[in-house]
Structure formats: structure tokens, C-alpha cells
Amino acid sequence: MAKGDPGVTTRGRRAAPRSTRAATAGEPELVQLLTPEGERIESATGPDGTEYRADFTDEEYRGLYRDLVLVRKLDAEATALQRQGELGLWASLLGQEAAQVGSGRALRTQDMAFPTYREHGVLYCRGIDPIMPLGLFRGVDQGGWDPNEFKFNMYTIVIGAQTLHATGYAMGVHMDGKTGSDDGEAVIAYFGDGATSQGDVNEAFVWASVFNSPLVFFCQNNQYAISEPLERQTRVPLYQRAGGFGFPGVRVDGNDVLASYAVTRHAMDNARLGQGPSLIEAYTYRMGAHTTSDDPTRYRIASEVEAWKAKDPIARMKAFLTKQQIADADFFAAVDEQARTESVHLRERVLEMPNPEPVTMFDHVYPNGSPELDEQRAQFSKYMESFEGSAH
Ligand SMILES: Cc1ncc(C[n+]2csc(CCOP(=O)(O)OP(=O)(O)O)c2C)c(N)n1
Ligand SMILES: [Mg+2]
């Protein structure tokens, strides 16, 4: 689906006659194109003077809404499956749908993405079957998708490590001469607020900067690194860190799918044109637990969660579509029904996933195998055979 480009001069069709959203004292400066009440803002100016706009057709607006609802529903189904013992663990994206769908839909086909373990919404936007990460969290496979086919790398649990992988990849894209034109390639690396304290992420910032790599650092600041709040990671807004490394940074309302789209599209296009890296801080909130093994009531208060509920990414999009008569009750009911059907289907397929043969753990360790691994496999097979015919 061709989306409208931000930065172009076309006016937002139903935008309020308002421009730059000025930050009031005490509020973070952020790029916003859709308020929590569902009011459309025509344009917003970033800290370096970039003017962000995003213009979509009605069909595209409805498509973004559908994406948001679907990824939330599939995520809820995965959480339920974990609670019923069908997955070992699940890292929910609840609350972060707009940051993920907005940035995910802003990528062009040739762009490469490097996710953490929470980017189920971006995975969905890349056209990957949403069952894939459930195999990983069920422990029956390693994820299963082909990173080169979908331009979406494997999930990375080691905090921040993927930013270095992305930097190396982006340096390669640049060296291969695939930047410098409208159809050039760009790379996006996802990570969290906690990851910004990792050495890997800071090293990635240095390398990407000095090699002018076509890389967008997309930090979903969901306010927590498990139980550690943001104030234990930084004394300055995270997007301002970029200045010290020599590239631009911008904070976007991560609960606003339109602004997340516009800011990402702009940053990726700059990268593909050869203008180097940038940092996007998507200011959002993790509405659920860190993972299903976490209990957030131990470290955060209910009123904070309530305050963020009022900024829900789906509710504001629904309010906008309703007010502007872009969608009606029948459309919303059809999307809910589609989400329900797809989540039932997901559940059925998870329950049918076969347990892997233990010996397959030796597969895919090295692309061309290794003699040592072959020996280990042979020993393990012999060991397993020793149980044949026994009661165990
Ligand atoms: C190198 C490393 N250190 C510690 C951990 C344990 N760990 C898993 S998730 C997490 C917090 C990450 O927080 P953040 O970067 O904000 O991402 P979020 O989970 O909030 O999306 C930590 C410390 C890890 N996986 N890898
Ligand atoms: Mg976090």
C-alpha cells in the first residue's frame, strides 16, 4: 500500500488549521500529528526545524487502524497462551502498537530492520506470519523466518546487541554504493530506553556516525527497563543524546501512529539519500508487564498506568476516524471480527506446533556445519538411542 509521504507540501485533508505544537513548560517536546483526543494536527516541527506532515487516503487511515487492532489482539492471544502454559514466555507490545505500526509501515521494501524481542508489530508490518515469534517463545524453533526474504532480522534478547549488527550491516550497504538515491537502502535498529545504557548502543552510535551509515536508531522509550524507570538511565531526554554523537535526534509521540510514520519515513529517506544516521525516541508506555514473568505492581503505581490509558494509540485513531466520518460502526465491527478470527486461527496453529526432535538443536549452528559439531551430534544421537525400548 502506497502511503503518503511526510515532508511534502500537501495539506493534511482534515487537519486542524494548526501548525507546530509548542511544548509547554514541563512537558517533553515531541512531534505529534494526532492528539490523544483524536484531533489532527497539520504539521509539527522537530528540534532541527524539520517540518513533519503525513497525508493519507481514507483507505490508508483505515489500514493503519486495522493494523493497530490486529497486532494488539494477536499480542493478547499470545499472552493468554503463555498463561495457559502453551508458551514459555511472552514479551507483550501492549501500548506500543503505534510506535511499531507507524515505523513499520514507513519502511520501504528494500529497508532492513533489526528488532529486539518485542517488535511483533513491526514483524507483522514486514509481512511475516505472526505465528513465527510464538514458535520461538514456545521453544520449538528459533523464530523460523528468513531475515533476507522479509528484511527483518531475528529477535535479539541480548540488550542492545542488534544495534551493532545493524551498524555493521548499514556500513556494508553504504560501502556497496546502495545509498544516495530515492530507491537506496536504509536500515533501522529497534531498542529500548534501558538499552541506551549499554556499551553496545553507544559504540553503535559512534560507528554509525563516523562512517555516515544509513541507519535509523529507533528507541521505544516505554519508560521502564523491567523495573528500572527512565530516570535511572538518563538525566537528559534520550533523543538529545544524538547531538553528542554528531547526528540528529527527535522525540516523537510514540502513541501517535501518524507521527511515528512521518518521523520514521523522513529519517529513513535521509539515510537512504546518504545523509547518515539519526535517532528517533518514540515516547510511549509499556502498558503491560515487562514479560509474563514480571509483576509491574511491585514497582509502579496504578495512577501512572491510568494516566497513560488516556493516551491510548488505538482509541485516538478510532476517535479521529469517527469524527471525520472516515469509518463507521460497521467498519469497526468488521475489524474486530477479523482480529478475533485471526487470533483464534493463531491459537489453533500454536497448539498444533510439533515438538522438535532433540537432535535438531545442532542444525543451523554454522552455515556449513563443522567437524566438532558433527561429532557432538553423533554422540548425542547415540545417547538418545540408548533409551530406545526403555520405559524412559
Ligand atoms: C546484555 C543484557 N543484559 C541484561 C539483560 C536482561 N534484560 C532483559 S530485558 C531487560 C530490560 C530492557 O529494557 P529496555 O531496553 O527498556 O527494553 P524494553 O524491555 O522495555 O522494551 C534486561 C536488563 C539482557 N537480556 N541482556
Ligand atoms: Mg523500556
Side-chain angles (χ1 to χ4, degrees):
M1 179 161 62
K3 300 283 188 187
D5 278 349
V8 294
T9 49
T10 44
R11 290 166 59 87
R13 290 179 58 233
R14 296 178 173 84
R18 228 170 114 181
S19 66
T20 313
R21 181 182 143 91
T24 51
E27 263 187 29
E29 279 174 53
L30 41 71
V31 172
Q32 188 182 68
L33 295 173
L34 188 64
T35 70
E37 295 74 35
E39 296 296 335
R40 188 78 165 78
I41 297 169
E42 188 178 320
S43 71
T45 309
D48 64 353
T50 302
E51 203 185 344
Y52 296 99
R53 294 164 182 268
D55 197 19
F56 299 93
T57 64
D58 289 355
E59 190 53 37
E60 287 167 346
Y61 279 128
R62 285 191 291 266
L64 288 171
Y65 176 82
R66 186 184 293 112
D67 288 341
L68 294 171
V69 171
L70 280 169
V71 300
R72 177 172 291 185
K73 181 71 177 169
L74 294 171
D75 182 77
E77 194 62 46
T79 299
L81 281 162
Q82 194 285 331
R83 285 293 180 247
Q84 292 157 13
E86 299 295 344
L87 301 181
L89 185 79
W90 185 247
S92 168
L93 61 61
L94 187 63
Q96 299 176 221
E97 297 88 352
Q100 295 197 15
V101 168
S103 62
R105 286 291 178 212
L107 307 182
R108 299 188 194 268
T109 318
Q110 69 269 28
D111 296 336
M112 180 62 107
F114 286 79
T116 71
Y117 42 79
R118 206 186 289 286
E119 268 70 72
H120 323 305
V122 185
L123 175 139
Y124 185 86
C125 292
R126 291 314 264 168
I128 297 173
D129 185 339
I131 190 97
M132 293 295 186
L134 280 80
L136 178 69
F137 284 106
R138 192 173 165 86
V140 297
D141 59 41
Q142 312 281 0
W145 63 90
D146 179 348
N148 290 320
E149 181 186 350
F150 295 99
K151 293 277 185 170
F152 184 83
N153 271 267
M154 303 315 291
Y155 277 5
T156 304
I157 310 269
V158 181
I159 300 301
Q162 74 284 358
T163 59
L164 281 176
H165 309 159
T167 300
Y169 187 92
M171 287 168 65
V173 167
H174 199 40
M175 288 172 191
D176 285 347
K178 292 179 178 166
T179 52
S181 71
D182 283 345
D183 60 354
E185 285 184 33
V187 183
I188 188 165
Y190 289 88
F191 55 101
D193 45 292
T196 62
S197 299
Q198 289 289 120
D200 283 10
V201 174
N202 290 273
E203 289 161 22
F205 285 173
V206 171
W207 280 74
S209 176
V210 299
F211 284 93
N212 203 40
S213 304
L215 177 55
V216 173
F217 291 104
F218 193 92
C219 176
Q220 285 171 85
N221 175 2
N222 64 6
Q223 313 298 330
Y224 287 92
I226 314 185
S227 56
E228 287 291 278
L230 184 68
E231 63 261 26
R232 287 285 170 271
Q233 311 293 345
T234 188
R235 290 288 173 106
V236 297
L238 289 175
Y239 75 94
Q240 290 179 5
R241 293 255 182 102
F245 291 92
F247 51 86
V250 58
R251 178 181 273 183
V252 64
D253 182 345
N255 285 15
D256 171 356
V257 69
L258 307 181
S260 295
Y261 178 96
V263 167
T264 309
R265 179 48 76 95
H266 180 80
M268 293 294 279
D269 283 347
N270 277 349
R272 85 181 70 259
L273 284 169
Q275 291 170 23
S278 59
L279 170 64
I280 297 172
E281 177 190 2
Y283 201 76
T284 183
Y285 193 75
R286 195 196 74 211
M287 294 300 291
H290 168 70
T291 64
T292 46
S293 65
D294 170 49
D295 173 9
T297 63
R298 303 278 298 266
Y299 55 82
R300 69 185 191 188
I301 53 173
S303 60
E304 181 184 290
V305 182
E306 284 307 306
W308 277 93
K309 241 182 210 162
K311 301 178 193 172
D312 185 79
I314 299 184
R316 73 175 71 179
M317 199 57 185
K318 190 171 186 178
F320 165 68
L321 295 179
T322 306
K323 264 187 247 182
Q324 300 299 337
Q325 299 183 349
I326 298 172
D328 57 14
D330 285 350
F331 169 79
F332 294 125
V335 170
D336 287 346
E337 184 51 29
Q338 184 186 346
R340 202 190 66 80
T341 311
E342 286 195 23
S343 63
V344 168
H345 187 47
L346 185 80
R347 161 172 293 267
E348 286 167 356
R349 291 192 298 151
V350 167
L351 300 183
E352 282 167 7
M353 277 180 158
N355 285 336
E357 286 299 322
V359 74
T360 59
M361 73 171 124
F362 296 99
D363 295 348
H364 311 301
V365 176
Y366 298 111
N368 303 313
S370 88
E372 196 187 341
L373 204 66
D374 291 346
E375 199 186 315
Q376 286 180 20
R377 184 190 290 107
Q379 273 179 17
F380 183 73
S381 295
K382 216 164 145 198
Y383 173 70
M384 294 304 281
E385 278 161 20
S386 71
F387 295 105
E388 273 175 21
S390 79
H392 300 288

